[in-house]
PDB file of all heavy atoms in Angstrom:
ATOM      1  N   ALA A 410      93.305 118.967  91.307  1.00  0.00           N
ATOM      2  CA  ALA A 410      93.435 119.428  92.668  1.00  0.00           C
ATOM      3  C   ALA A 410      94.235 120.739  92.693  1.00  0.00           C
ATOM      4  O   ALA A 410      93.931 121.640  93.489  1.00  0.00           O
ATOM      5  CB  ALA A 410      94.133 118.399  93.509  1.00  0.00           C
ATOM      6  N   ASN A 411      95.169 120.875  91.818  1.00  0.00           N
ATOM      7  CA  ASN A 411      96.053 122.059  91.844  1.00  0.00           C
ATOM      8  C   ASN A 411      95.536 123.217  90.995  1.00  0.00           C
ATOM      9  O   ASN A 411      95.786 124.345  91.292  1.00  0.00           O
ATOM     10  CB  ASN A 411      97.457 121.690  91.462  1.00  0.00           C
ATOM     11  CG  ASN A 411      98.207 121.091  92.607  1.00  0.00           C
ATOM     12  OD1 ASN A 411      98.547 121.756  93.558  1.00  0.00           O
ATOM     13  ND2 ASN A 411      98.426 119.794  92.575  1.00  0.00           N
ATOM     14  N   PHE A 412      94.865 122.900  89.914  1.00  0.00           N
ATOM     15  CA  PHE A 412      94.474 123.974  88.999  1.00  0.00           C
ATOM     16  C   PHE A 412      92.984 124.126  88.830  1.00  0.00           C
ATOM     17  O   PHE A 412      92.531 124.958  88.042  1.00  0.00           O
ATOM     18  CB  PHE A 412      95.141 123.751  87.619  1.00  0.00           C
ATOM     19  CG  PHE A 412      96.639 123.727  87.736  1.00  0.00           C
ATOM     20  CD1 PHE A 412      97.324 122.598  87.344  1.00  0.00           C
ATOM     21  CD2 PHE A 412      97.321 124.790  88.306  1.00  0.00           C
ATOM     22  CE1 PHE A 412      98.716 122.560  87.445  1.00  0.00           C
ATOM     23  CE2 PHE A 412      98.688 124.769  88.428  1.00  0.00           C
ATOM     24  CZ  PHE A 412      99.442 123.662  88.030  1.00  0.00           C
ATOM     25  N   GLY A 413      92.200 123.268  89.525  1.00  0.00           N
ATOM     26  CA  GLY A 413      90.762 123.503  89.529  1.00  0.00           C
ATOM     27  C   GLY A 413      90.029 123.064  88.284  1.00  0.00           C
ATOM     28  O   GLY A 413      88.853 123.402  88.101  1.00  0.00           O
ATOM     29  N   ARG A 414      90.685 122.395  87.340  1.00  0.00           N
ATOM     30  CA  ARG A 414      89.996 121.830  86.131  1.00  0.00           C
ATOM     31  C   ARG A 414      90.750 120.625  85.591  1.00  0.00           C
ATOM     32  O   ARG A 414      91.908 120.379  85.997  1.00  0.00           O
ATOM     33  CB  ARG A 414      89.850 122.895  85.085  1.00  0.00           C
ATOM     34  CG  ARG A 414      91.171 123.518  84.650  1.00  0.00           C
ATOM     35  CD  ARG A 414      90.858 124.545  83.560  1.00  0.00           C
ATOM     36  NE  ARG A 414      92.064 125.218  83.106  1.00  0.00           N
ATOM     37  CZ  ARG A 414      92.397 126.387  83.630  1.00  0.00           C
ATOM     38  NH1 ARG A 414      91.730 126.982  84.559  1.00  0.00           N
ATOM     39  NH2 ARG A 414      93.490 126.994  83.157  1.00  0.00           N
ATOM     40  N   ASP A 415      90.114 119.935  84.669  1.00  0.00           N
ATOM     41  CA  ASP A 415      90.719 118.743  84.128  1.00  0.00           C
ATOM     42  C   ASP A 415      91.796 119.140  83.090  1.00  0.00           C
ATOM     43  O   ASP A 415      91.612 120.118  82.382  1.00  0.00           O
ATOM     44  CB  ASP A 415      89.668 117.898  83.469  1.00  0.00           C
ATOM     45  CG  ASP A 415      90.171 116.491  83.155  1.00  0.00           C
ATOM     46  OD1 ASP A 415      90.866 116.367  82.112  1.00  0.00           O
ATOM     47  OD2 ASP A 415      89.891 115.596  83.925  1.00  0.00           O
ATOM     48  N   VAL A 416      92.852 118.353  83.024  1.00  0.00           N
ATOM     49  CA  VAL A 416      93.915 118.691  82.087  1.00  0.00           C
ATOM     50  C   VAL A 416      93.396 118.607  80.649  1.00  0.00           C
ATOM     51  O   VAL A 416      93.937 119.297  79.731  1.00  0.00           O
ATOM     52  CB  VAL A 416      95.196 117.818  82.329  1.00  0.00           C
ATOM     53  CG1 VAL A 416      94.887 116.345  82.085  1.00  0.00           C
ATOM     54  CG2 VAL A 416      96.378 118.265  81.523  1.00  0.00           C
ATOM     55  N   LEU A 417      92.343 117.791  80.405  1.00  0.00           N
ATOM     56  CA  LEU A 417      91.841 117.690  79.025  1.00  0.00           C
ATOM     57  C   LEU A 417      91.124 118.949  78.617  1.00  0.00           C
ATOM     58  O   LEU A 417      90.956 119.187  77.417  1.00  0.00           O
ATOM     59  CB  LEU A 417      90.893 116.502  78.881  1.00  0.00           C
ATOM     60  CG  LEU A 417      91.513 115.136  79.009  1.00  0.00           C
ATOM     61  CD1 LEU A 417      90.492 114.050  78.896  1.00  0.00           C
ATOM     62  CD2 LEU A 417      92.595 114.929  77.912  1.00  0.00           C
ATOM     63  N   GLU A 418      90.688 119.815  79.604  1.00  0.00           N
ATOM     64  CA  GLU A 418      90.093 121.061  79.211  1.00  0.00           C
ATOM     65  C   GLU A 418      91.157 122.020  78.713  1.00  0.00           C
ATOM     66  O   GLU A 418      90.878 122.953  77.976  1.00  0.00           O
ATOM     67  CB  GLU A 418      89.429 121.689  80.420  1.00  0.00           C
ATOM     68  CG  GLU A 418      88.143 121.005  80.865  1.00  0.00           C
ATOM     69  CD  GLU A 418      87.598 121.607  82.143  1.00  0.00           C
ATOM     70  OE1 GLU A 418      87.570 122.820  82.302  1.00  0.00           O
ATOM     71  OE2 GLU A 418      87.266 120.799  83.017  1.00  0.00           O
ATOM     72  N   ASP A 419      92.381 121.860  79.168  1.00  0.00           N
ATOM     73  CA  ASP A 419      93.497 122.647  78.689  1.00  0.00           C
ATOM     74  C   ASP A 419      94.051 121.872  77.495  1.00  0.00           C
ATOM     75  O   ASP A 419      94.223 120.653  77.615  1.00  0.00           O
ATOM     76  CB  ASP A 419      94.581 122.899  79.722  1.00  0.00           C
ATOM     77  CG  ASP A 419      94.144 123.872  80.806  1.00  0.00           C
ATOM     78  OD1 ASP A 419      93.349 124.751  80.468  1.00  0.00           O
ATOM     79  OD2 ASP A 419      94.582 123.696  81.948  1.00  0.00           O
ATOM     80  N   PHE A 420      94.327 122.476  76.399  1.00  0.00           N
ATOM     81  CA  PHE A 420      94.945 121.824  75.202  1.00  0.00           C
ATOM     82  C   PHE A 420      94.137 120.648  74.684  1.00  0.00           C
ATOM     83  O   PHE A 420      94.740 119.608  74.400  1.00  0.00           O
ATOM     84  CB  PHE A 420      96.368 121.373  75.547  1.00  0.00           C
ATOM     85  CG  PHE A 420      97.144 122.283  76.462  1.00  0.00           C
ATOM     86  CD1 PHE A 420      97.395 121.935  77.770  1.00  0.00           C
ATOM     87  CD2 PHE A 420      97.654 123.448  75.976  1.00  0.00           C
ATOM     88  CE1 PHE A 420      98.071 122.776  78.639  1.00  0.00           C
ATOM     89  CE2 PHE A 420      98.357 124.338  76.803  1.00  0.00           C
ATOM     90  CZ  PHE A 420      98.582 123.973  78.112  1.00  0.00           C
ATOM     91  N   PRO A 421      92.822 120.749  74.547  1.00  0.00           N
ATOM     92  CA  PRO A 421      92.045 119.546  74.143  1.00  0.00           C
ATOM     93  C   PRO A 421      92.507 119.007  72.771  1.00  0.00           C
ATOM     94  O   PRO A 421      92.616 117.774  72.585  1.00  0.00           O
ATOM     95  CB  PRO A 421      90.621 120.029  74.087  1.00  0.00           C
ATOM     96  CG  PRO A 421      90.697 121.502  74.028  1.00  0.00           C
ATOM     97  CD  PRO A 421      91.984 121.903  74.676  1.00  0.00           C
TER      98      PRO A 421
END
Side-chain angles (χ1 to χ4, degrees):
N411 280 289
F412 301 121
R414 58 178 176 265
D415 192 281
V416 63
L417 291 179
E418 288 173 44
D419 287 331
F420 322 106

